[in-house]
Each structure stands twice: as structure tokens, then as C-alpha cells.
Amino acid sequence: MGIGVRQRIIILIFTGLFVTMGLTGTYRYFTERRDLAATARSQGEQSCRLMAELAAPYLQTSDFNGLHSMVQNFMHAPDAQEVTVIDRDGRQLIHVTSPGLSTKRMIIGPLPIMLDAAR
């Protein structure tokens, strides 16, 4: 016994609704994912600018112990995974990573360290 016209219409309507809901959900997923990544990048850039501002006096006075202490305190932030401070000649002064360094991470930087108008 075959299905009637009414059943075919009902199946067609539910199939259309199912496909529409799937496409809408997929679109929302990727939109939210993009927005979350943009927000995380923005907050990370703000943190980097703050770190650069705080590092300037330590670098000016060559206080590497104070710089290292500041970086260690920053690493207590839940989202901080790695911090590297490099001098203008490209030498690595400080490099600290969290023990559980994630493979899925967002790299932000480098940001120049400014003190007044000096870079």
C-alpha cells in the first residue's frame, strides 16, 4: 500500500523544515565561532598592549628580574599560554610558557614597546 498525497506533503514539509533548521544551525555555529575568535583576539591584543606598557620601565632600567616577575604574574591569567619578550636586536630576553600549552592557540604580536615617543 502506497502513501497518499497528504502523507507526501507532510513528509515534504518536515524534510524542508529539517534542512532549513540544519542550515540555520550551521550558519549560526560558524558565525558564533568567528565572533568568539574576534573577541578573543581583541582581548589578547589589549593584554599585549598592557604588557608592552608595563615592560617599558623594566627594559629602560635593565631590570630583568622585575620583567620576569611581571611576566610570571601575567601567566597566572587563565588564557595566557606563552609570553616572549625580545629586545630590538632580536635577542630573546624572556620566554615563559604554561605547562599545558594548547596546540589550538591564537598568536598575538609582536607589539612594539613604547616609552614616551621612544620605541
Side-chain angles (χ1 to χ4, degrees), residues 2 33 35 45 67 71 96 106 111 116:
R33 183 176 167 188
D35 292 344
E45 287 172 354
L67 183 63
V71 169
V96 179
M106 190 177 297
L111 291 176
D116 297 326

Side-chain angles (χ1 to χ4, degrees), residues 19 45 75:
V19 169
E45 287 172 354
M75 289 302 293

Side-chain angles (χ1 to χ4, degrees), residues 9-25:
I9 291 173
I10 291 172
I11 290 172
L12 182 63
I13 290 170
F14 279 114
T15 302
L17 287 172
F18 182 73
V19 169
T20 302
M21 288 171 49
L23 291 173
T24 302

